[in-house]
Amino acid sequence: MQYILFSIEDAVARITLNRPDKLNAFNREMALEMQGCLDESASLKEVRAVLITGAGKGFSAGQDLAEITDPKGPTMAQILSEHYNPIIRKIRAMAKPVIAGVNGVAAGAGANIALCCDIVLARHSASFVQAFSKIGLIPDSGGTFFLPRLVGWQKASALMMTGDKISATEAEQMGMIYQVIPDESFEDKIRQFSIQMAAMPTHGLALTKHALNYSLSASFEQQLDLEDKLQQQAALTADYREGVDAFIHKRKPEFRGE
Ligand code: T3D
């Protein structure tokens, strides 16, 4: 691959966006490569958590604006339907936790790819910007779906309409992300956190993710019914048996993700 670094270690698949001189802006190749990495992460049983981060000083500046002015580049229709929407769908459908380790500025589609992940950790010096309005576009990559649900309608409208850049600390305070990490310990923390997530009961986490996805469009009654069904599935897993046994015998559980 040319624009993505992909590795698997300690049951964590690490996807590093790697066009640092362009703040990891997405061109077509990078978007397609990322889709391939997400597919591989989903299909490999040994992978139990996925970490998405960026090389250099940015997480991702979103769409490569030079590519869209290139007459030989992809069309607007291709950019959403073939690049970003499949990435967002694959992250939400991944039956394992996906962690965004936002190491620097996350703008446009770059910000919204981070926000659709299950858990977002950000470096203290990172920032988030819904850059779309500044160039006459609308927020895409699921932004109009996830951002109001994360921070509320009013803040989402303002962030999307102004295109204001906010700090990682502000993002944490408004509930947009889970946690801000000091710059000096960021790399170690995202690695350790991902390893910790990979050691959790993976099947149970997949069912949790399924229930959260479903809650976005379900009624209260439908949600209770789904919880009932999924809890019964969770109770059939080896990890459930292991968790209860470990609790009773006052020992550390060893989950296998099954
Ligand atoms: O067809 C469609 O477009 C549909 C799809 C839309 C999805 C989208 O993501 S639309 C939104 C696209 N992204 C943007 O509009 C963000 C543009 N970038 C910025 O506003 C700023 O660069 C940042 C706020 C992200 C960071 O600012 P700063 O001051 O830290 O860095 P910089 O100096 O502006 O950028 C550093 C380099 O990266 C620079 O290159 P150079 O001059 O050193 O050679 C800059 O041109 C390049 N860069 C940054 N963003 C992009 C980019 N190159 C191409 N595309 C970019 N998006």
Side-chain angles (χ1 to χ4, degrees), residues 4-254:
I4 303 267
L5 303 174
F6 184 65
S7 60
I8 299 170
E9 206 180 313
D10 297 320
V12 176
R14 186 186 186 112
I15 299 174
T16 305
L17 310 174
N18 190 31
R19 295 184 77 209
D21 53 325
K22 303 285 177 202
L23 294 176
N24 305 320
F26 275 86
N27 58 17
R28 180 172 173 82
E29 291 73 25
M30 186 162 117
L32 298 181
E33 285 175 12
M34 183 167 182
Q35 290 173 29
C37 293
L38 289 168
D39 285 342
E40 192 159 350
S41 303
S43 68
L44 290 174
K45 198 163 172 253
E46 77 226 48
V47 171
R48 292 174 56 193
V50 179
L51 170 64
I52 301 173
T53 190
K57 71 184 179 101
F59 176 75
S60 171
Q63 173 59 36
D64 183 331
L65 296 176
E67 181 180 66
I68 53 176
T69 53
D70 178 353
K72 290 193 271 187
T75 63
M76 179 69 90
Q78 282 180 301
I79 287 174
L80 291 196
S81 67
E82 295 178 17
H83 300 184
Y84 298 117
N85 288 353
I87 289 174
I88 302 300
R89 290 191 175 108
K90 286 175 196 293
I91 291 173
R92 290 315 313 155
M94 180 88 62
K96 11 194 133 171
V98 183
I99 299 127
V102 179
N103 54 301
V105 65
N112 291 338
I113 287 171
L115 297 184
C116 90
C117 292
D118 297 305
I119 300 173
V120 186
L121 305 177
R123 205 164 182 250
H124 182 262
S125 56
S127 54
F128 295 82
V129 51
Q130 294 289 322
F132 310 88
S133 62
K134 298 243 170 100
I135 54 169
L137 289 180
I138 71 141
D140 58 27
S141 305
T144 57
F145 188 83
F146 291 110
L147 193 57
R149 286 166 168 81
L150 289 166
V151 302
W153 187 274
Q154 182 58 218
K155 281 196 161 54
S157 300
L159 290 174
M160 289 174 167
M161 289 187 181
T162 61
D164 281 348
K165 191 200 268 190
I166 60 162
S167 68
T169 303
E170 289 171 300
E172 185 194 73
Q173 281 162 358
M174 62 175 77
M176 188 191 290
I177 64 169
Y178 180 50
Q179 220 172 61
V180 177
I181 315 293
D183 284 14
E184 54 282 7
S185 48
F186 176 75
E187 180 49 43
D188 191 45
K189 171 74 183 188
I190 58 168
R191 205 174 69 81
Q192 289 305 333
F193 185 85
S194 304
I195 292 171
Q196 181 193 333
M197 295 308 295
M200 297 283 289
T202 313
H203 193 65
L205 296 192
L207 297 176
T208 301
K209 185 164 177 173
H210 178 52
L212 283 168
N213 281 343
Y214 188 77
S215 77
L216 296 168
S217 59
S219 70
F220 175 58
E221 284 303 324
Q222 288 170 323
Q223 196 67 25
L224 286 183
D225 287 344
L226 184 77
E227 285 179 3
D228 184 358
K229 189 175 125 198
L230 297 185
Q231 195 67 294
Q232 293 183 49
Q233 289 179 30
L236 293 175
T237 62
D239 283 341
Y240 166 65
R241 288 194 298 280
E242 166 66 5
V244 174
D245 189 73
F247 178 81
I248 295 202
H249 294 100
K250 299 191 186 307
R251 63 174 176 83
K252 198 169 172 284
E254 281 183 34

